[in-house]
Amino acid sequence: MPVERTELRGEEELHKYYEVYETIGSGGFAKVKLGRHKQTGEKVAIKIMTKKDLGDDLPRVKLEIDAMKHLSHQHVCRLYQVIETSTQIFMVIEYCPGGELFDYIIAKDRLSEEETRVFFRQIVSAIAYVHSQGFAHRDLKPENLLIDGAHNLKLIDFGLCARPKGGLGYELMTCCGSPAYAAPELIQGKAYIGSEADVWSMGVLLFALLCGYLPFDDDNCMVLYRKITRGKYDNPQWLSPGSIILLNQMMQVDPKRRLTVRQLLDHPWVLKDYNSPVEWHSRLPLGHIDEDCITEMAVNMKRSRESTTALVKEWRYDHTTATYLLLLSKKQRGKPVRLRAEPVLREDSCSPLHQGLQTKESLQFSEDEDGIIVGSLDFCSEYSDDCPWLTGTPNTPQGVKERQDKIPGNKAMRMASPVVERCAYSPVPERRRAAGRRPERREKNQENKENTGDRDAETFLVPSLQTPVSSKKSGRPNKNVLTTPNDNVSTKTSTSPRVGGSASKDQKKKKTLENGEPANIEIMALSPDRRSRSLDMAGSGDSGKKRKAGKVFGSLERGLDKVITMLTPSKRRGPRDAPRKIKVQYNVTLTNQTNPDQVLNQILSALPEKNVDFTQKGYTLKCQTWGDFGKVTMAFELEVCFLQKLDVVGVRRQRLKGDAWVYKHLVEDILSTSSI
Ligand code: H91
């Protein structure tokens, strides 16, 4: 694997070119951090792996890197740079501010057929391209599709992909991927064709988009496998006849009777409202070299355009590749193709790019658990700038402008050729507790949308004496000793629950934003027996509103081509004494409450009931669940925050590790138990 081996320690190399911020997720043995490329100011995702931890998975990482170097497509997440040392591997990847498609689906419960079609066409486009390059993805699921700043999907996680030497038509034997999305032939340990298995997974994915839960699901692996091999699932009543037909054609147990990707490109369901087949060819072919980017790089590097072109064409996935691809990305978004003078180490960050922002005082870097130096960047304030579509109306496909190109003609997609791998499918011993299956409650919700439930029975625990600070809890916290991060609140500890809160009914309020637009936000006041519902989606695009003095945010963020890093003032490194004020995002559950301490305490009391361990830092709870073998099965964060403009408290949630559907149900349980 020709990656950059450097005299510098990998980390130094990384910090030479990138600012590294907080962890935004994890995948397998990898940690993913937010970063910013210093010369272009572009945000990047940095996947960090320690070779020792990877062990036998190291070949998978190499496979993923090789696949990603090969793939350049509008719906495939782009690899920019690889830094490898004797102990670590850093992958610098295209940043997708919208996060996982999974979170988007659950925030909306399910998507409309129209919005599903927009996404599904992009998924078909990505997979047709990936297959045309001789790869099968083999782990298609909504967690592996990210949403970029223009609300377009990007496929990630090529760690399980296969590229049979003789081509995709050849059979594979390695059973991989997530069981719920796995094709019957795969879980039966039969030889299978990668592209056919991908179509099955796309069927499961399509179902998840349209329904918000999985077609095949069970806590027990063997029962789940039986369901998959039978291929029987229920079609909910909201599915259109066209959707039912398409799903059925994709989830055919016999792979030979299943639709092919080629057939999907111009399937009647896919064509509806578009009248053009899916455009799957790459709009960003690797061979093309952009002259503007070369000119800018040549000037910056003080070398000729010819030698710069030659350097870029080596595609070494070093800093040259990264700079070129990031400049290209800027150009494609209509931003100036400009580089700052030269890369400098962070100590020297008072360059024009950072003027007025990164004073030594405001730069807060600390070492994280891996010893990686990290800064801190306010995510939420940036979120809706990165994702203009977040400010839109729910269920409206926006920002997605798929080119209405011609049908890919007869140009055959390069498919096929055999390779045989062997490995039996090993049922995961300890699976999801209550993975995304359609709960009865959901049905009730559907039928009784306006049902007010027994809200009067809401009970609240009184906030306790403790002051904010980071209270590390291991094991089960004492329910009676609740902490509040606010020392201004009542300092009485009470063990007796008292009835509190307004007895208001579920409210479906249409709030008006400051700009006069209806926010179209659903505010749910839930009783303990009701599922917590997420914010349907809404936004307050106005990122420029004044913030409290002392915070390095606000108008500055729009300056200098929005490339300025907003670093956290020193006092914000410690636990917060007040909840953050954030914009509405789709990973925020709205409450109808105004007291953050009350919300926090409700969550704190619910966590032990659900066997969730947590560490509290101010208003953020870092939660974990443990499996039978002392392994962390799930990791996520819940943060109580104020929602700008709405003046209510919300709960931001972020999954860091674990099965997405189990997480969904666990968090729903916690929030509904908390009667939020
Ligand atoms: N899942 C498979 O949580 C569970 C924001 C966010 C923004 C990203 C860009 C690339 C990647 C992740 C991003 C991301 C893992 C990325 C790409 C590849 C890859 C991995 C990550 C999670 C890990 C964090 C991810 C989402 C998927 C966020 N993530 N928020 N941009 O292999 Cl190719 Cl692991």
PDB file of all heavy atoms in Angstrom, residues 65-94:
ATOM      1  N   ILE A  65      -8.750   1.366   2.171  1.00  0.00           N
ATOM      2  CA  ILE A  65      -7.933   2.444   1.613  1.00  0.00           C
ATOM      3  C   ILE A  65      -7.752   2.238   0.108  1.00  0.00           C
ATOM      4  O   ILE A  65      -7.923   3.166  -0.686  1.00  0.00           O
ATOM      5  CB  ILE A  65      -6.574   2.541   2.352  1.00  0.00           C
ATOM      6  CG1 ILE A  65      -6.811   3.030   3.779  1.00  0.00           C
ATOM      7  CG2 ILE A  65      -5.605   3.456   1.611  1.00  0.00           C
ATOM      8  CD1 ILE A  65      -5.587   3.000   4.672  1.00  0.00           C
ATOM      9  N   ASP A  66      -7.447   1.008  -0.271  1.00  0.00           N
ATOM     10  CA  ASP A  66      -7.257   0.730  -1.703  1.00  0.00           C
ATOM     11  C   ASP A  66      -8.538   1.005  -2.484  1.00  0.00           C
ATOM     12  O   ASP A  66      -8.502   1.588  -3.572  1.00  0.00           O
ATOM     13  CB  ASP A  66      -6.806  -0.720  -1.917  1.00  0.00           C
ATOM     14  CG  ASP A  66      -5.328  -0.873  -1.599  1.00  0.00           C
ATOM     15  OD1 ASP A  66      -4.636   0.169  -1.531  1.00  0.00           O
ATOM     16  OD2 ASP A  66      -4.870  -2.012  -1.392  1.00  0.00           O
ATOM     17  N   ALA A  67      -9.671   0.591  -1.929  1.00  0.00           N
ATOM     18  CA  ALA A  67     -10.947   0.810  -2.613  1.00  0.00           C
ATOM     19  C   ALA A  67     -11.218   2.303  -2.746  1.00  0.00           C
ATOM     20  O   ALA A  67     -11.560   2.800  -3.824  1.00  0.00           O
ATOM     21  CB  ALA A  67     -12.081   0.124  -1.853  1.00  0.00           C
ATOM     22  N   MET A  68     -11.002   3.023  -1.662  1.00  0.00           N
ATOM     23  CA  MET A  68     -11.323   4.454  -1.686  1.00  0.00           C
ATOM     24  C   MET A  68     -10.405   5.247  -2.606  1.00  0.00           C
ATOM     25  O   MET A  68     -10.801   6.250  -3.182  1.00  0.00           O
ATOM     26  CB  MET A  68     -11.303   5.034  -0.274  1.00  0.00           C
ATOM     27  CG  MET A  68     -12.477   4.542   0.557  1.00  0.00           C
ATOM     28  SD  MET A  68     -12.579   5.364   2.140  1.00  0.00           S
ATOM     29  CE  MET A  68     -13.363   6.913   1.705  1.00  0.00           C
ATOM     30  N   LYS A  69      -9.172   4.769  -2.748  1.00  0.00           N
ATOM     31  CA  LYS A  69      -8.256   5.449  -3.670  1.00  0.00           C
ATOM     32  C   LYS A  69      -8.736   5.284  -5.105  1.00  0.00           C
ATOM     33  O   LYS A  69      -8.463   6.118  -5.962  1.00  0.00           O
ATOM     34  CB  LYS A  69      -6.858   4.834  -3.557  1.00  0.00           C
ATOM     35  CG  LYS A  69      -6.092   5.288  -2.356  1.00  0.00           C
ATOM     36  CD  LYS A  69      -4.730   4.633  -2.379  1.00  0.00           C
ATOM     37  CE  LYS A  69      -3.885   5.110  -1.226  1.00  0.00           C
ATOM     38  NZ  LYS A  69      -2.576   4.434  -1.216  1.00  0.00           N
ATOM     39  N   HIS A  70      -9.433   4.213  -5.309  1.00  0.00           N
ATOM     40  CA  HIS A  70      -9.864   3.862  -6.649  1.00  0.00           C
ATOM     41  C   HIS A  70     -11.184   4.537  -7.031  1.00  0.00           C
ATOM     42  O   HIS A  70     -11.517   4.654  -8.201  1.00  0.00           O
ATOM     43  CB  HIS A  70     -10.045   2.338  -6.674  1.00  0.00           C
ATOM     44  CG  HIS A  70     -10.070   1.790  -8.031  1.00  0.00           C
ATOM     45  ND1 HIS A  70      -8.936   1.321  -8.654  1.00  0.00           N
ATOM     46  CD2 HIS A  70     -11.078   1.644  -8.911  1.00  0.00           C
ATOM     47  CE1 HIS A  70      -9.260   0.917  -9.851  1.00  0.00           C
ATOM     48  NE2 HIS A  70     -10.546   1.093 -10.045  1.00  0.00           N
ATOM     49  N   LEU A  71     -11.936   4.926  -6.022  1.00  0.00           N
ATOM     50  CA  LEU A  71     -13.301   5.391  -6.280  1.00  0.00           C
ATOM     51  C   LEU A  71     -13.402   6.913  -6.223  1.00  0.00           C
ATOM     52  O   LEU A  71     -13.007   7.535  -5.234  1.00  0.00           O
ATOM     53  CB  LEU A  71     -14.266   4.763  -5.266  1.00  0.00           C
ATOM     54  CG  LEU A  71     -14.320   3.225  -5.271  1.00  0.00           C
ATOM     55  CD1 LEU A  71     -15.110   2.705  -4.074  1.00  0.00           C
ATOM     56  CD2 LEU A  71     -14.932   2.697  -6.570  1.00  0.00           C
ATOM     57  N   SER A  72     -13.936   7.474  -7.275  1.00  0.00           N
ATOM     58  CA  SER A  72     -14.142   8.920  -7.299  1.00  0.00           C
ATOM     59  C   SER A  72     -15.505   9.178  -7.919  1.00  0.00           C
ATOM     60  O   SER A  72     -15.686   9.081  -9.136  1.00  0.00           O
ATOM     61  CB  SER A  72     -13.031   9.575  -8.129  1.00  0.00           C
ATOM     62  OG  SER A  72     -13.298  10.950  -8.259  1.00  0.00           O
ATOM     63  N   HIS A  73     -16.455   9.461  -7.087  1.00  0.00           N
ATOM     64  CA  HIS A  73     -17.837   9.581  -7.555  1.00  0.00           C
ATOM     65  C   HIS A  73     -18.588  10.554  -6.663  1.00  0.00           C
ATOM     66  O   HIS A  73     -18.282  10.659  -5.461  1.00  0.00           O
ATOM     67  CB  HIS A  73     -18.497   8.188  -7.520  1.00  0.00           C
ATOM     68  CG  HIS A  73     -19.864   8.137  -8.128  1.00  0.00           C
ATOM     69  ND1 HIS A  73     -21.010   8.315  -7.394  1.00  0.00           N
ATOM     70  CD2 HIS A  73     -20.267   7.913  -9.400  1.00  0.00           C
ATOM     71  CE1 HIS A  73     -22.064   8.210  -8.190  1.00  0.00           C
ATOM     72  NE2 HIS A  73     -21.643   7.965  -9.420  1.00  0.00           N
ATOM     73  N   GLN A  74     -19.544  11.218  -7.260  1.00  0.00           N
ATOM     74  CA  GLN A  74     -20.318  12.228  -6.525  1.00  0.00           C
ATOM     75  C   GLN A  74     -21.070  11.665  -5.310  1.00  0.00           C
ATOM     76  O   GLN A  74     -21.441  12.411  -4.407  1.00  0.00           O
ATOM     77  CB  GLN A  74     -21.283  12.962  -7.470  1.00  0.00           C
ATOM     78  CG  GLN A  74     -22.231  12.113  -8.292  1.00  0.00           C
ATOM     79  CD  GLN A  74     -21.609  11.533  -9.570  1.00  0.00           C
ATOM     80  OE1 GLN A  74     -20.394  11.517  -9.726  1.00  0.00           O
ATOM     81  NE2 GLN A  74     -22.453  11.044 -10.478  1.00  0.00           N
ATOM     82  N   HIS A  75     -21.314  10.371  -5.271  1.00  0.00           N
ATOM     83  CA  HIS A  75     -22.022   9.805  -4.122  1.00  0.00           C
ATOM     84  C   HIS A  75     -21.171   8.799  -3.339  1.00  0.00           C
ATOM     85  O   HIS A  75     -21.708   7.922  -2.661  1.00  0.00           O
ATOM     86  CB  HIS A  75     -23.357   9.192  -4.568  1.00  0.00           C
ATOM     87  CG  HIS A  75     -24.288  10.223  -5.131  1.00  0.00           C
ATOM     88  ND1 HIS A  75     -24.702  11.308  -4.387  1.00  0.00           N
ATOM     89  CD2 HIS A  75     -24.836  10.368  -6.358  1.00  0.00           C
ATOM     90  CE1 HIS A  75     -25.475  12.071  -5.143  1.00  0.00           C
ATOM     91  NE2 HIS A  75     -25.579  11.537  -6.340  1.00  0.00           N
ATOM     92  N   VAL A  76     -19.872   8.930  -3.467  1.00  0.00           N
ATOM     93  CA  VAL A  76     -18.952   8.109  -2.667  1.00  0.00           C
ATOM     94  C   VAL A  76     -18.046   9.075  -1.906  1.00  0.00           C
ATOM     95  O   VAL A  76     -17.496  10.012  -2.484  1.00  0.00           O
ATOM     96  CB  VAL A  76     -18.107   7.173  -3.564  1.00  0.00           C
ATOM     97  CG1 VAL A  76     -17.074   6.418  -2.724  1.00  0.00           C
ATOM     98  CG2 VAL A  76     -19.001   6.179  -4.316  1.00  0.00           C
ATOM     99  N   CYS A  77     -17.928   8.860  -0.605  1.00  0.00           N
ATOM    100  CA  CYS A  77     -17.115   9.748   0.223  1.00  0.00           C
ATOM    101  C   CYS A  77     -15.658   9.682  -0.249  1.00  0.00           C
ATOM    102  O   CYS A  77     -15.102   8.613  -0.453  1.00  0.00           O
ATOM    103  CB  CYS A  77     -17.226   9.278   1.674  1.00  0.00           C
ATOM    104  SG  CYS A  77     -16.989  10.554   2.870  1.00  0.00           S
ATOM    105  N   ARG A  78     -15.036  10.845  -0.405  1.00  0.00           N
ATOM    106  CA  ARG A  78     -13.724  10.913  -1.048  1.00  0.00           C
ATOM    107  C   ARG A  78     -12.603  10.800  -0.022  1.00  0.00           C
ATOM    108  O   ARG A  78     -12.630  11.456   1.026  1.00  0.00           O
ATOM    109  CB  ARG A  78     -13.611  12.260  -1.778  1.00  0.00           C
ATOM    110  CG  ARG A  78     -12.491  12.329  -2.764  1.00  0.00           C
ATOM    111  CD  ARG A  78     -12.849  11.479  -3.957  1.00  0.00           C
ATOM    112  NE  ARG A  78     -11.895  11.565  -5.035  1.00  0.00           N
ATOM    113  CZ  ARG A  78     -10.790  10.801  -5.137  1.00  0.00           C
ATOM    114  NH1 ARG A  78     -10.481   9.941  -4.218  1.00  0.00           N
ATOM    115  NH2 ARG A  78     -10.003  10.926  -6.180  1.00  0.00           N
ATOM    116  N   LEU A  79     -11.639   9.992  -0.347  1.00  0.00           N
ATOM    117  CA  LEU A  79     -10.425   9.904   0.473  1.00  0.00           C
ATOM    118  C   LEU A  79      -9.458  10.979  -0.013  1.00  0.00           C
ATOM    119  O   LEU A  79      -9.251  11.131  -1.224  1.00  0.00           O
ATOM    120  CB  LEU A  79      -9.793   8.519   0.312  1.00  0.00           C
ATOM    121  CG  LEU A  79      -8.467   8.282   1.036  1.00  0.00           C
ATOM    122  CD1 LEU A  79      -8.657   8.274   2.548  1.00  0.00           C
ATOM    123  CD2 LEU A  79      -7.832   6.966   0.590  1.00  0.00           C
ATOM    124  N   TYR A  80      -8.863  11.740   0.914  1.00  0.00           N
ATOM    125  CA  TYR A  80      -7.938  12.802   0.524  1.00  0.00           C
ATOM    126  C   TYR A  80      -6.478  12.440   0.796  1.00  0.00           C
ATOM    127  O   TYR A  80      -5.597  12.735   0.019  1.00  0.00           O
ATOM    128  CB  TYR A  80      -8.254  14.092   1.287  1.00  0.00           C
ATOM    129  CG  TYR A  80      -9.609  14.688   0.999  1.00  0.00           C
ATOM    130  CD1 TYR A  80     -10.404  15.182   2.033  1.00  0.00           C
ATOM    131  CD2 TYR A  80     -10.094  14.784  -0.309  1.00  0.00           C
ATOM    132  CE1 TYR A  80     -11.644  15.758   1.777  1.00  0.00           C
ATOM    133  CE2 TYR A  80     -11.330  15.360  -0.568  1.00  0.00           C
ATOM    134  CZ  TYR A  80     -12.102  15.837   0.476  1.00  0.00           C
ATOM    135  OH  TYR A  80     -13.318  16.401   0.225  1.00  0.00           O
ATOM    136  N   GLN A  81      -6.247  11.855   1.945  1.00  0.00           N
ATOM    137  CA  GLN A  81      -4.849  11.625   2.329  1.00  0.00           C
ATOM    138  C   GLN A  81      -4.762  10.455   3.291  1.00  0.00           C
ATOM    139  O   GLN A  81      -5.686  10.212   4.075  1.00  0.00           O
ATOM    140  CB  GLN A  81      -4.289  12.901   3.001  1.00  0.00           C
ATOM    141  CG  GLN A  81      -2.825  12.805   3.367  1.00  0.00           C
ATOM    142  CD  GLN A  81      -2.215  14.133   3.815  1.00  0.00           C
ATOM    143  OE1 GLN A  81      -2.917  15.143   3.891  1.00  0.00           O
ATOM    144  NE2 GLN A  81      -0.932  14.123   4.117  1.00  0.00           N
ATOM    145  N   VAL A  82      -3.661   9.739   3.203  1.00  0.00           N
ATOM    146  CA  VAL A  82      -3.406   8.653   4.157  1.00  0.00           C
ATOM    147  C   VAL A  82      -2.036   8.889   4.771  1.00  0.00           C
ATOM    148  O   VAL A  82      -1.065   9.135   4.060  1.00  0.00           O
ATOM    149  CB  VAL A  82      -3.429   7.270   3.463  1.00  0.00           C
ATOM    150  CG1 VAL A  82      -3.196   6.158   4.485  1.00  0.00           C
ATOM    151  CG2 VAL A  82      -4.745   7.050   2.735  1.00  0.00           C
ATOM    152  N   ILE A  83      -1.988   8.860   6.072  1.00  0.00           N
ATOM    153  CA  ILE A  83      -0.699   8.976   6.763  1.00  0.00           C
ATOM    154  C   ILE A  83      -0.524   7.697   7.570  1.00  0.00           C
ATOM    155  O   ILE A  83      -1.373   7.359   8.401  1.00  0.00           O
ATOM    156  CB  ILE A  83      -0.669  10.210   7.695  1.00  0.00           C
ATOM    157  CG1 ILE A  83      -0.893  11.500   6.882  1.00  0.00           C
ATOM    158  CG2 ILE A  83       0.653  10.277   8.448  1.00  0.00           C
ATOM    159  CD1 ILE A  83      -1.117  12.744   7.732  1.00  0.00           C
ATOM    160  N   GLU A  84       0.543   6.985   7.286  1.00  0.00           N
ATOM    161  CA  GLU A  84       0.776   5.741   8.010  1.00  0.00           C
ATOM    162  C   GLU A  84       2.116   5.804   8.722  1.00  0.00           C
ATOM    163  O   GLU A  84       3.118   6.219   8.152  1.00  0.00           O
ATOM    164  CB  GLU A  84       0.769   4.557   7.032  1.00  0.00           C
ATOM    165  CG  GLU A  84       0.925   3.229   7.757  1.00  0.00           C
ATOM    166  CD  GLU A  84       0.987   2.028   6.822  1.00  0.00           C
ATOM    167  OE1 GLU A  84       0.897   2.214   5.598  1.00  0.00           O
ATOM    168  OE2 GLU A  84       1.143   0.911   7.340  1.00  0.00           O
ATOM    169  N   THR A  85       2.096   5.406   9.964  1.00  0.00           N
ATOM    170  CA  THR A  85       3.349   5.285  10.706  1.00  0.00           C
ATOM    171  C   THR A  85       3.460   3.823  11.147  1.00  0.00           C
ATOM    172  O   THR A  85       2.609   3.009  10.814  1.00  0.00           O
ATOM    173  CB  THR A  85       3.351   6.186  11.957  1.00  0.00           C
ATOM    174  OG1 THR A  85       2.393   5.665  12.880  1.00  0.00           O
ATOM    175  CG2 THR A  85       3.016   7.617  11.618  1.00  0.00           C
ATOM    176  N   SER A  86       4.474   3.538  11.902  1.00  0.00           N
ATOM    177  CA  SER A  86       4.616   2.142  12.336  1.00  0.00           C
ATOM    178  C   SER A  86       3.504   1.746  13.298  1.00  0.00           C
ATOM    179  O   SER A  86       3.170   0.582  13.434  1.00  0.00           O
ATOM    180  CB  SER A  86       5.972   1.945  12.990  1.00  0.00           C
ATOM    181  OG  SER A  86       6.124   2.918  13.998  1.00  0.00           O
ATOM    182  N   THR A  87       2.875   2.726  13.926  1.00  0.00           N
ATOM    183  CA  THR A  87       1.845   2.375  14.912  1.00  0.00           C
ATOM    184  C   THR A  87       0.433   2.827  14.543  1.00  0.00           C
ATOM    185  O   THR A  87      -0.538   2.265  15.022  1.00  0.00           O
ATOM    186  CB  THR A  87       2.183   3.013  16.285  1.00  0.00           C
ATOM    187  OG1 THR A  87       2.356   4.426  16.073  1.00  0.00           O
ATOM    188  CG2 THR A  87       3.433   2.405  16.891  1.00  0.00           C
ATOM    189  N   GLN A  88       0.329   3.824  13.714  1.00  0.00           N
ATOM    190  CA  GLN A  88      -1.002   4.391  13.454  1.00  0.00           C
ATOM    191  C   GLN A  88      -1.302   4.602  11.978  1.00  0.00           C
ATOM    192  O   GLN A  88      -0.389   4.705  11.155  1.00  0.00           O
ATOM    193  CB  GLN A  88      -1.122   5.753  14.157  1.00  0.00           C
ATOM    194  CG  GLN A  88      -1.475   5.632  15.634  1.00  0.00           C
ATOM    195  CD  GLN A  88      -1.561   6.993  16.274  1.00  0.00           C
ATOM    196  OE1 GLN A  88      -0.637   7.797  16.156  1.00  0.00           O
ATOM    197  NE2 GLN A  88      -2.668   7.264  16.946  1.00  0.00           N
ATOM    198  N   ILE A  89      -2.585   4.676  11.683  1.00  0.00           N
ATOM    199  CA  ILE A  89      -3.013   5.037  10.324  1.00  0.00           C
ATOM    200  C   ILE A  89      -4.028   6.171  10.456  1.00  0.00           C
ATOM    201  O   ILE A  89      -4.973   6.086  11.248  1.00  0.00           O
ATOM    202  CB  ILE A  89      -3.668   3.854   9.583  1.00  0.00           C
ATOM    203  CG1 ILE A  89      -2.682   2.682   9.448  1.00  0.00           C
ATOM    204  CG2 ILE A  89      -4.165   4.285   8.198  1.00  0.00           C
ATOM    205  CD1 ILE A  89      -3.277   1.438   8.827  1.00  0.00           C
ATOM    206  N   PHE A  90      -3.818   7.227   9.708  1.00  0.00           N
ATOM    207  CA  PHE A  90      -4.769   8.343   9.661  1.00  0.00           C
ATOM    208  C   PHE A  90      -5.328   8.417   8.250  1.00  0.00           C
ATOM    209  O   PHE A  90      -4.563   8.485   7.289  1.00  0.00           O
ATOM    210  CB  PHE A  90      -4.085   9.678   9.978  1.00  0.00           C
ATOM    211  CG  PHE A  90      -3.416   9.716  11.323  1.00  0.00           C
ATOM    212  CD1 PHE A  90      -2.067   9.415  11.446  1.00  0.00           C
ATOM    213  CD2 PHE A  90      -4.132  10.051  12.461  1.00  0.00           C
ATOM    214  CE1 PHE A  90      -1.431   9.459  12.684  1.00  0.00           C
ATOM    215  CE2 PHE A  90      -3.508  10.102  13.705  1.00  0.00           C
ATOM    216  CZ  PHE A  90      -2.149   9.799  13.818  1.00  0.00           C
ATOM    217  N   MET A  91      -6.625   8.393   8.149  1.00  0.00           N
ATOM    218  CA  MET A  91      -7.251   8.598   6.834  1.00  0.00           C
ATOM    219  C   MET A  91      -7.977   9.939   6.866  1.00  0.00           C
ATOM    220  O   MET A  91      -8.828  10.160   7.732  1.00  0.00           O
ATOM    221  CB  MET A  91      -8.272   7.492   6.533  1.00  0.00           C
ATOM    222  CG  MET A  91      -7.660   6.129   6.251  1.00  0.00           C
ATOM    223  SD  MET A  91      -8.922   4.825   6.271  1.00  0.00           S
ATOM    224  CE  MET A  91      -9.870   5.198   4.814  1.00  0.00           C
ATOM    225  N   VAL A  92      -7.628  10.802   5.947  1.00  0.00           N
ATOM    226  CA  VAL A  92      -8.303  12.105   5.874  1.00  0.00           C
ATOM    227  C   VAL A  92      -9.370  11.982   4.785  1.00  0.00           C
ATOM    228  O   VAL A  92      -9.071  11.658   3.633  1.00  0.00           O
ATOM    229  CB  VAL A  92      -7.307  13.236   5.561  1.00  0.00           C
ATOM    230  CG1 VAL A  92      -8.024  14.577   5.531  1.00  0.00           C
ATOM    231  CG2 VAL A  92      -6.174  13.243   6.578  1.00  0.00           C
ATOM    232  N   ILE A  93     -10.618  12.208   5.189  1.00  0.00           N
ATOM    233  CA  ILE A  93     -11.755  11.894   4.320  1.00  0.00           C
ATOM    234  C   ILE A  93     -12.680  13.111   4.201  1.00  0.00           C
ATOM    235  O   ILE A  93     -12.728  13.959   5.103  1.00  0.00           O
ATOM    236  CB  ILE A  93     -12.564  10.698   4.902  1.00  0.00           C
ATOM    237  CG1 ILE A  93     -11.620   9.553   5.325  1.00  0.00           C
ATOM    238  CG2 ILE A  93     -13.575  10.161   3.903  1.00  0.00           C
ATOM    239  CD1 ILE A  93     -12.297   8.448   6.110  1.00  0.00           C
ATOM    240  N   GLU A  94     -13.412  13.155   3.119  1.00  0.00           N
ATOM    241  CA  GLU A  94     -14.414  14.204   2.899  1.00  0.00           C
ATOM    242  C   GLU A  94     -15.353  14.292   4.110  1.00  0.00           C
ATOM    243  O   GLU A  94     -15.839  13.265   4.588  1.00  0.00           O
ATOM    244  CB  GLU A  94     -15.220  13.826   1.639  1.00  0.00           C
ATOM    245  CG  GLU A  94     -16.329  14.770   1.286  1.00  0.00           C
ATOM    246  CD  GLU A  94     -17.051  14.323   0.011  1.00  0.00           C
ATOM    247  OE1 GLU A  94     -16.657  13.312  -0.615  1.00  0.00           O
ATOM    248  OE2 GLU A  94     -18.028  14.991  -0.346  1.00  0.00           O
TER     249      GLU A  94
END
